[in-house]
Amino acid sequence: MPSDEILVQVNNVSKKYCKDLKRSLRYGLEDLGSELLLQGEPKMDLRRQEFWALQDVNFELRRGESFGVIGVNGSGKTTLLKLMQGLIKPTTGSITIRGKLGALITLGAGFQPLLTGRENIYINAAILGIPRRIVDRNIGDILDFAELGDFIDAPVKNYSSGMKGRLGFSIATNLIDPDVLLLDEVLATGDWKFKERCFRRMEEIVQSGATIVFVSHLVPKVEQLCNRAILLHKGVVKLVGTASEVCEAYYEMPDTFTKGEHRAAKRRRKQLAVALKQSGAEAALDLETADDGNVENDDDDAIDITQVQLLDSDGQPQTKFASLDALNVQIDFVRQPQVKTIRATIQLLVLGDEICITHSSHMVALPDSPPLGATSGQVSCLIPKLLLREGKYRLAATLIVPSDTPEASPTKISQNVAITVTAAEGQPSVKTTPGLIHLPVSWSDRPQPSTIAMRRT
Amino acid sequence: MRSPIPSHPKSSLSAVTYTHKSRLRQPAILLQDIWQDLLASRELAWQLVYRKINVRYRQSLLGPLWAIIPPILAALTSRVLQKSGVVDISETELPYPLYVMFATVLWQVFSRSLDMPLRAMKEGMSLLRTIQVPVEGLMLAGVGELLFDQGIQLIVLACVFLFAPVSITWGIIPAIGALAMLMLLGISIGLFLVPFGSLYTDVSSALPYVTRFWFFLTPVLYPPPEQPPYSLLVKLNPVTPMLLGVIDLTTTGQLNDPLLFAVVSALTIGLFLVGWVIYRVAVPLLVER
């Protein structure tokens, strides 16, 4: 539980960097000069080629709080961590850390490839500032968690990256006992089993009462582990608030998730859609020649999605739906005559994290078509009740043409559409709790009859 | 940049604050930090030395023999040169080959001390960029490695002296102090090279040439010249009194020029302290570039 003892204070912290190496080196000398000449006032104007990597960051963390830091790459997360560790100096502002600071940011710092895993444990521990006797006391736990077996006495250069990561994570988490812990999610490396254990260990540390600063791209993890969070974008603080609030805002940010679709593919789809609206097969035939002579793989041409539409209960295209609304996904496609059956799937995914929430699949037998040229078709999927909670999601519609022979791989084409889900009626409009699925439950504060009694009624 | 602030009334924890202000504004706290980090970094330094030396000989057949090959080669070369009459060498207190061997080892102590701070900084940079480690640990590890390497050479030298027809005096004990001064002189100058040298590679490119030139200005392969202008040139070289001091103390038990030795020693200590503070203040600025 957070107490009122403030362990971390970040006040008006800004940091500027230089993009150009030569200039950066020169500025480095200038800065050193002014440091030695005791010129204390920060220079707020940017010199040539400089930019603000972090601007005016403010927050306070109490004991026991866990604080998420989210933002896309280049938003200033790493800079913030470096400043908090005291590796670099802020351009303005101040950072105060009370108590022992631990950082789980890079694993296996100073691993020497020629030495054995066991020897490296002691070196890595010394770099983390841990005395030898504590390592000796905990060596059993370290070895158990790393699960390296006999390999612990082999040189580290023979380790796979997963093994190195495991050893590094094991050393760090078994030895440090900080008041403030900086944690980077990329640490959870290796196979899913070890990843799961890493996250469990992280949760243990969070629950141990240390103040945690958790940097992550995995927004659901932040929602789960943190009570508050900060959203950074291009060095600017977009929001500081509860974890759920900040995670929502992360998805709301413009241009964060527009995936660069292949330009040629996009143009082709556009042409197809226009042509099909004019008149089915005839126009599609023209398209074959209109393709700038860019002959693509035959399989790619066998089927193509022209449009994916999200329709509401009135059959109107929408991008916004409320929880428990009906949603009809309509997939328009063109196919070559050799395509007789297709499998259509739709998936709902969390933006960026690629966590699949639902998956639905259906085999479709297509009617015979004229032997020449492309024909258009349509499949649709009705979701009677959208069980998603409020937030932004990605709907991926995929069409798969099974291959004729077992050796050949099936043809696959998919298209994404963004979908925004708003809170169901009667629910608070701002998300305050984590979770992705809306279960239509009913709550009661009176004693309930037993399940047997319920069954009888 | 780091300074203790009054603790939260309910908190017994120590606190550090990082600000944009120059750390030199609070010199007492800075010195205290340096001292504490120095104490705290002994374990780290030990492990780093272990790592370095262990790795160096793990992939080598001759192993630590590599430490004694250079002084023996230098002594042999000088012997050949003297015999052939290519160079005209006047008599020295010690037999000439022994003098060269001794002076070579001492010169190496100096030149490696000079090189050490910048090298340690460069090797430690990737660590300093990712994790908070006391920079003193890197320096201590550098000193440790140096002591190991030069220690082996000095032991070899001691063995040679035992079997050679020379007398060793009790001056060998103060000679160890003079040797430490020689090392300190190198490290002090080396510390001043760190800020510029970590940013620009020019320093490490130029250093071998400067060192070689310096080598010839120091009486290593020849005894100190008597006539000006060469005698003056060699005398102005701060390495000369230190290097000769060690040799004189070992062989005759006293310093030839105690005043000069004292002056250079005092300057060295002053230079070292200033160099260390600058180095310490510079590290976070160098890490970010």
Side-chain angles (χ1 to χ4, degrees):
Chain A
M1 271 273 107
S3 73
D4 60 346
E5 186 185 13
I6 294 170
L7 292 191
V8 178
Q9 270 172 307
V10 176
N11 291 324
N12 303 318
V13 167
S14 302
K15 179 74 199 169
K16 54 184 177 184
Y17 275 130
C18 180
K19 285 177 207 160
D20 183 67
L21 177 69
K22 274 263 160 75
R23 252 174 222 288
S24 170
L25 297 178
R26 211 178 70 206
Y27 294 155
L29 277 188
E30 281 175 19
D31 291 348
L32 183 60
S34 51
E35 175 94 10
L36 294 177
L37 295 173
L38 303 177
Q39 288 170 358
E41 282 318 297
K43 295 191 189 83
M44 292 309 291
D45 49 327
L46 291 176
R47 293 169 285 192
R48 260 180 81 183
Q49 295 273 356
E50 275 190 327
F51 67 97
W52 290 105
L54 217 52
Q55 232 175 336
D56 209 17
V57 181
N58 286 288
F59 59 86
E60 273 186 355
L61 302 180
R62 286 155 205 285
R63 178 178 282 286
E65 253 187 313
S66 52
F67 188 65
V69 180
I70 49 180
V72 291
N73 289 339
S75 55
K77 300 189 298 285
T78 313
T79 308
L80 182 62
L81 285 188
K82 283 191 171 174
L83 287 166
M84 291 182 76
Q85 282 190 89
L87 299 179
I88 53 176
K89 283 185 75 162
T91 309
T92 67
S94 70
I95 297 171
T96 302
I97 310 274
R98 263 173 249 268
K100 223 169 108 191
L101 178 89
L104 272 180
I105 291 171
T106 15
L107 290 179
F111 270 1
Q112 166 50 252
L114 282 178
L115 298 181
T116 67
R118 197 184 293 275
E119 287 169 314
N120 269 306
I121 292 178
Y122 287 95
I123 293 169
N124 189 226
I127 286 168
L128 294 172
I130 295 148
R132 197 184 167 92
R133 60 192 153 78
I134 296 184
V135 184
D136 286 333
R137 207 186 304 146
N138 291 293
I139 189 107
D141 293 338
I142 296 174
L143 298 182
D144 281 350
F145 194 83
E147 284 183 337
L148 289 170
D150 294 343
F151 279 101
I152 195 67
D153 291 311
V156 164
K157 70 171 180 176
N158 295 347
Y159 285 18
S160 69
S161 56
M163 287 161 86
K164 260 184 254 174
R166 246 149 61 197
L167 184 60
F169 190 90
S170 180
I171 298 170
T173 55
N174 276 297
L175 292 178
I176 56 171
D177 180 23
D179 297 296
V180 179
L181 178 67
L182 310 181
L183 203 61
D184 196 331
E185 137 258 312
V186 292
L187 293 183
T189 51
D191 52 35
W192 65 269
K193 247 181 168 173
F194 188 74
K195 234 177 182 162
E196 201 47 49
R197 287 209 296 151
C198 287
F199 277 119
R200 224 176 305 142
R201 177 57 66 90
M202 285 185 189
E203 279 162 38
E204 277 169 32
I205 299 172
V206 172
Q207 280 152 16
S208 72
T211 299
I212 312 277
V213 178
F214 183 54
V215 174
S216 181
H217 293 105
L218 292 177
V219 173
K221 279 282 176 217
V222 173
E223 274 194 277
Q224 183 195 339
L225 287 176
C226 302
N227 31 40
R228 283 202 304 145
I230 187 170
L231 174 59
L232 293 174
H233 189 61
K234 292 184 177 164
V236 181
V237 178
K238 288 283 174 195
L239 185 69
V240 182
T242 65
S244 303
E245 223 178 304
V246 172
C247 292
E248 275 316 292
Y250 179 55
Y251 288 137
E252 297 293 335
M253 273 191 325
D255 301 335
T256 310
F257 295 103
T258 40
K259 284 199 169 162
E261 200 178 0
H262 198 259
R263 213 184 285 156
K266 224 173 187 173
R267 194 196 59 212
R268 240 165 65 87
R269 276 202 195 109
K270 219 174 179 177
Q271 285 176 335
L272 274 168
V274 172
L276 280 164
K277 264 183 193 153
Q278 289 167 4
S279 70
E282 220 177 305
L285 261 177
D286 291 345
L287 256 174
E288 300 270 293
T289 47
D291 218 348
D292 292 346
N294 272 341
V295 184
E296 287 182 28
N297 188 344
D298 279 352
D299 278 350
D300 283 345
D301 292 332
I303 193 153
D304 204 350
I305 296 177
T306 50
Q307 198 179 22
V308 178
Q309 276 188 309
L310 308 176
L311 306 176
D312 64 10
S313 47
D314 301 327
Q316 292 303 310
Q318 298 285 350
T319 53
K320 246 186 189 171
F321 292 83
S323 296
L324 303 183
D325 273 2
L327 164 66
N328 193 5
V329 183
Q330 189 178 303
I331 309 166
D332 294 302
F333 60 90
V334 283
R335 60 172 171 124
Q336 297 296 335
Q338 74 266 29
V339 177
K340 299 278 191 276
T341 54
I342 52 169
R343 179 182 286 281
T345 73
I346 59 161
Q347 284 171 296
L348 279 157
L349 301 116
V350 176
L351 287 183
D353 298 327
E354 302 305 307
I355 294 174
C356 185
I357 307 164
T358 68
H359 175 98
S360 186
S361 187
H362 181 59
M363 200 68 146
V364 187
L366 299 168
D368 279 342
S369 60
L372 271 177
T375 44
S376 60
Q378 191 181 67
V379 274
S380 62
C381 174
L382 177 72
I383 302 170
K385 271 189 176 174
L386 191 59
L387 294 180
L388 292 181
R389 290 196 55 193
E390 55 273 40
K392 281 200 170 185
Y393 303 90
R394 178 163 77 83
L395 188 143
T398 310
L399 296 181
I400 303 161
V401 182
S403 59
D404 305 331
T405 54
E407 296 86 41
S409 51
T411 307
K412 221 174 177 183
I413 181 107
S414 62
Q415 195 173 330
N416 295 321
V417 277
I419 171 167
T420 307
V421 180
T422 55
E425 242 175 85
Q427 295 287 324
S429 59
V430 179
K431 198 175 176 185
T432 51
T433 51
L436 298 171
I437 304 292
H438 180 95
L439 286 179
V441 295
S442 57
W443 290 87
S444 170
D445 49 8
R446 271 162 292 149
Q448 290 288 307
S450 73
T451 43
I452 298 164
M454 276 176 81
R455 247 181 234 162
R456 276 193 195 131
T457 52
Chain B
M1 166 184 169
R2 252 167 88 170
S3 59
I5 54 159
S7 247
H8 188 270
K10 284 182 188 172
S11 172
S12 56
L13 298 168
S14 62
V16 283
T17 298
Y18 305 108
T19 68
H20 62 270
K21 293 199 187 88
S22 173
R23 295 214 59 198
L24 291 175
R25 283 171 179 264
Q26 292 171 306
I29 291 158
L30 178 63
L31 291 178
Q32 199 184 328
D33 273 353
I34 291 179
W35 180 245
Q36 270 169 5
D37 279 353
L38 189 64
L39 291 183
S41 63
R42 283 170 303 174
E43 169 96 22
L44 171 67
W46 174 247
Q47 287 293 341
L48 290 178
V49 173
Y50 170 82
R51 174 178 89 160
K52 197 77 185 288
I53 292 170
N54 208 322
V55 164
R56 192 178 334 146
Y57 297 130
R58 205 161 272 205
Q59 261 197 331
S60 148
L61 285 176
L62 292 181
L65 269 183
W66 281 113
I68 58 172
I69 291 171
I72 292 176
L73 276 183
L76 287 178
T77 319
S78 58
R79 185 76 185 145
V80 170
L81 286 177
Q82 194 196 23
K83 285 266 173 194
S84 68
V86 175
V87 282
D88 181 27
I89 307 277
S90 57
E91 276 308 302
T92 50
E93 196 102 19
L94 278 172
Y96 177 68
L98 277 187
Y99 175 85
V100 170
M101 201 170 161
F102 198 175
T104 310
V105 172
L106 295 180
W107 171 260
Q108 280 199 350
V109 169
F110 171 75
S111 68
R112 291 208 38 199
S113 306
L114 178 69
D115 190 37
M116 187 275 285
L118 187 56
R119 185 195 297 264
M121 183 72 184
K122 290 208 159 157
E123 284 169 4
M125 201 46 131
S126 60
L127 266 187
L128 290 174
R129 282 213 176 95
T130 51
I131 198 162
Q132 200 185 29
V133 284
V135 285
E136 282 72 15
L138 301 179
M139 285 299 137
L140 264 188
V143 171
E145 195 194 347
L146 216 141
L147 285 178
F148 175 83
D149 289 342
Q150 304 309 314
I152 291 182
Q153 299 200 356
L154 285 169
I155 289 169
V156 172
L157 197 70
C159 294
V160 173
F161 269 63
L162 278 181
F163 296 105
V166 282
S167 57
I168 306 281
T169 67
W170 282 111
I172 196 161
I173 292 162
I176 294 172
L179 185 69
M181 269 301 157
L182 180 68
M183 225 171 116
L184 202 64
L185 176 68
I187 294 174
S188 310
I189 302 171
L191 278 174
F192 278 91
L193 300 179
V194 169
F196 194 80
S198 309
L199 292 177
Y200 294 96
T201 51
D202 306 55
V203 175
S204 33
S205 308
L207 203 54
Y209 300 103
V210 173
T211 314
R212 198 178 304 166
F213 183 64
W214 203 335
F215 174 76
F216 287 113
L217 285 186
T218 313
V220 176
L221 293 180
Y222 55 89
E226 306 283 322
Q227 287 137 356
Y230 299 107
S231 63
L232 187 70
L233 206 59
V234 169
K235 221 170 192 175
L236 281 177
N237 175 0
V239 183
T240 311
M242 297 293 181
L243 190 131
L244 292 181
V246 180
I247 296 179
D248 290 343
L249 281 170
T250 314
T251 52
T252 65
Q254 54 192 349
L255 289 166
N256 273 349
D257 197 344
L259 182 68
L260 187 62
F261 184 85
V263 170
V264 178
S265 298
L267 285 178
T268 300
I269 291 173
L271 200 68
F272 175 72
L273 292 177
V274 175
W276 196 329
V277 169
I278 291 180
Y279 163 73
R280 171 78 190 215
V281 168
V283 166
L285 296 172
L286 302 176
V287 163
E288 85 175 62
R289 297 293 160 180

